[in-house]
Amino acid sequence: MKNLILTFFVLSLYTQISAHTINYYPGGPLEIIKIGHPTLSMVAQEIPLEEIKTESIQKLITDMIDTMKKAGGVGLAAPQVNVSKRLFVMKPNVLKKAEAVINPVVDYHEEAGTKLSTEGCLSIPGKKFKVNRYNKINVAYYNQRGEYVTELAEGFRAVVFQHEFDHLNGILIADFFMEEFFSSEDVPRM
Ligand code: ZN
């Protein structure tokens, strides 16, 4: 019994320490963590609205955009850099600037149907997956300036949004794929 209590105490202490660690962003270059890392399976925490404009979150966004671009990706979620917060960056359109999406909510248009999408993930190097994605989604979120935004997303923008939103809920494309394959053909990674 004593051992059990001690084990419980040590475990809860460990959980508190690790939860603190992954919610704290110390700055500096960001490393993209890979499949198997526990943070990738966790449901990320909402960011309090008053924190969006803080230096810590603004720097995290800048560094995530930089990391995404250097990795040749079109999207990157905070859990992929071991920060368990509901934030991702994306650049689905090469002609447009990268943007940040904070505390997103997604409403899937079931009547608009789904399509098979071929995707790579920056946290699953070298592999590609075919997954089902909704064609249309309504989304609501806060942008980098802390403004509340709602929109109907379609096409590739909706695909990237769904991939990144899944990351915030601890879901990887390796968890629900229709087909997994190796191919030299280039696919979008996010
Ligand atoms: Zn991914």
Side-chain angles (χ1 to χ4, degrees), residues 80 121-122 163 167 190:
Q80 292 180 278
C121 179
L122 293 170
H163 182 116
H167 271 303
M190 47 195 114

Side-chain angles (χ1 to χ4, degrees), residues 2-189:
K2 223 177 195 175
N3 273 345
L4 197 68
I5 292 169
L6 188 67
T7 306
F8 179 75
F9 175 73
V10 171
L11 269 179
S12 60
L13 193 69
Y14 174 75
T15 311
Q16 283 171 28
I17 292 168
S18 54
H20 173 76
T21 307
I22 56 171
N23 280 310
Y24 172 68
Y25 173 57
L30 302 174
E31 182 199 345
I32 299 175
I33 59 173
K34 303 301 185 297
I35 187 167
H37 192 294
T39 303
L40 289 173
S41 313
M42 292 173 63
V43 175
Q45 302 277 315
E46 286 215 343
I47 297 178
L49 298 185
E50 63 272 17
E51 281 184 21
I52 294 177
K53 289 182 183 169
T54 60
E55 202 186 330
S56 167
I57 293 292
Q58 292 294 316
K59 173 98 166 61
L60 174 61
I61 291 171
T62 306
D63 287 348
M64 281 175 61
I65 290 173
D66 193 38
T67 305
M68 171 184 73
K69 287 180 177 169
K70 279 186 182 144
V74 293
L76 182 70
Q80 292 180 278
V81 293
N82 202 19
V83 176
S84 194
K85 291 182 186 290
R86 300 189 79 77
L87 155 70
F88 62 78
V89 296
M90 65 175 189
K91 195 179 186 306
N93 185 332
V94 288
L95 301 175
K96 290 190 180 162
K97 278 181 74 174
E99 55 193 297
V101 171
I102 297 158
N103 299 345
V105 176
V106 175
D107 187 14
Y108 301 96
H109 276 249
E110 304 215 352
E111 75 287 352
T114 60
K115 67 177 168 205
L116 216 48
S117 158
T118 304
E119 301 169 20
C121 179
L122 293 170
S123 295
I124 313 173
K127 288 190 180 175
K128 288 139 197 183
F129 299 86
K130 284 196 167 130
V131 293
N132 271 316
R133 294 296 184 197
Y134 287 93
N135 289 314
K136 282 187 187 179
I137 54 173
N138 270 96
V139 297
Y141 58 93
Y142 291 86
N143 65 17
Q144 185 168 359
R145 292 181 296 277
E147 297 157 347
Y148 186 66
V149 181
T150 60
E151 64 169 282
L152 172 69
E154 295 179 75
F156 188 56
R157 184 177 175 82
V159 166
V160 177
F161 211 103
Q162 287 170 79
H163 182 116
E164 300 311 329
F165 184 70
D166 283 346
H167 271 303
L168 305 187
N169 292 324
I171 298 165
L172 296 175
I173 47 177
D175 298 333
F176 67 102
F177 61 89
M178 309 297 286
E179 190 187 328
E180 175 185 356
F181 58 103
F182 295 90
S183 154
S184 54
E185 169 207 354
D186 207 21
V187 296
R189 291 178 300 141

